[in-house]
Amino acid sequence: PQSVSLNVSNVDRAFGAIFGSEITRKYGNDLPDDVYTVHCNGAGGQSFGAFIPNGLTLELVGDCNDYMGKGLSGGKIIVRPPQGIDFKPEENIITGNVALYGATSGKAFISGVAGERFCVRNSGATAVVEGVGDHGCEYMTGGTLEPVEHKYDVATLKELIRAHVEATGSPRGKEILDNFSAFLPKFKKVLPYDYDRMLRVIASVEERGLDGEQAQIEAFYAVQKHK
């Protein structure tokens, strides 16, 4: 693993994209997390961390413009305010609009609020943020809304918050972890109706002995048959 510390400003657009392309050219998509870490201080310009791949982590202490993590492709982005602030991160915007637009994989941990259209057309990245503007996760949900009750979902949620706190030092995240049972009822799981139905059918097919891709194929035909 290698790391470097740099100052950035909002004229540094698409920061990390060219470095990410060189990583992909040399290693493909096979690197583990945090092989290369860039510690940034200041203001991230538009499209900070666009398209960055597996193995590259960008940590930004400061704030960020629009389109952060656009097309994120396996890399990791951490955005957090400086130490010693006298405001609550969960009540203040730290990154602009349309963050993680079209992301396909990777992780983002944001200690603060993101602007509008957060994670629009995200199709695979994992993100933790402490507030969003209008149209969060647009096009990806379909409206299903339910409590977080299944033990797998509860464990996943807690692990995501733990990873967020580890990455950002988020005071809000620490508060939730310290009082997890009290906060758990406040969380909701949101996912598309059709995706939820497909997951249930896949589970039913797997109970009959099929698994993996074959179970998904059987579930697909079963859902199509009953439409």
Side-chain angles (χ1 to χ4, degrees):
Q2 300 181 56
S3 64
V4 64
S5 296
L6 300 170
N7 293 325
V8 296
S9 73
N10 57 12
V11 300
D12 298 317
R13 298 187 176 189
F15 182 90
I18 294 176
F19 184 33
S21 72
E22 293 299 320
I23 291 174
T24 301
R25 190 190 315 277
K26 186 170 183 178
Y27 300 108
N29 251 350
D30 297 329
L31 290 183
D33 287 348
D34 307 322
V35 174
Y36 299 104
T37 300
V38 184
H39 302 283
C40 303
N41 286 277
Q46 286 197 359
S47 299
F48 179 88
F51 308 110
I52 64 171
N54 290 31
L56 177 55
T57 296
L58 302 184
E59 180 185 21
L60 174 63
V61 178
D63 53 39
C64 200
N65 276 248
D66 295 346
Y67 283 99
M68 181 209 76
K70 177 177 64 178
L72 185 68
S73 301
K76 184 192 298 183
I77 298 176
I78 299 165
V79 183
R80 61 181 179 85
Q83 298 288 335
I85 57 172
D86 57 2
F87 60 85
K88 294 182 178 180
E90 68 269 20
E91 295 178 0
N92 289 270
I93 292 177
I94 194 170
T95 191
N97 300 324
V98 207
L100 300 169
Y101 179 90
T104 59
S105 57
K107 302 172 185 175
F109 300 101
I110 303 156
S111 181
V113 180
E116 297 185 359
R117 305 194 77 199
F118 179 78
C119 275
V120 174
R121 294 195 183 280
N122 170 30
S123 59
T126 298
V128 181
V129 67
E130 299 175 9
V132 298
D134 293 339
H135 310 295
C137 302
E138 194 173 29
Y139 311 135
M140 305 307 294
T141 60
T144 300
L145 197 66
E146 58 189 43
V148 181
E149 296 176 337
H150 191 281
K151 63 180 181 180
Y152 174 79
D153 291 335
V154 173
T156 299
L157 173 64
K158 193 170 186 179
E159 173 57 23
L160 282 172
I161 299 172
R162 186 207 61 77
H164 177 66
V165 171
E166 182 180 347
T168 68
S170 165
R172 182 61 164 169
K174 292 177 182 176
E175 179 187 9
I176 292 172
L177 287 179
D178 290 343
N179 303 277
F180 190 72
S181 296
F183 277 98
L184 182 59
K186 300 178 183 293
F187 285 89
K188 294 291 184 289
K189 182 179 180 181
V190 185
L191 73 165
Y193 291 113
D194 289 342
Y195 183 58
D196 184 40
R197 181 170 55 166
M198 181 63 77
L199 290 176
R200 295 176 188 273
V201 176
I202 289 174
S204 176
V205 172
E206 288 177 338
E207 289 177 359
R208 302 205 308 264
L210 296 177
D211 58 13
E213 184 177 348
Q214 190 60 40
Q216 295 174 24
I217 292 171
E218 291 291 330
F220 172 78
Y221 284 117
V223 169
Q224 290 295 312
K225 183 178 179 180
H226 289 92
K227 274 192 173 181

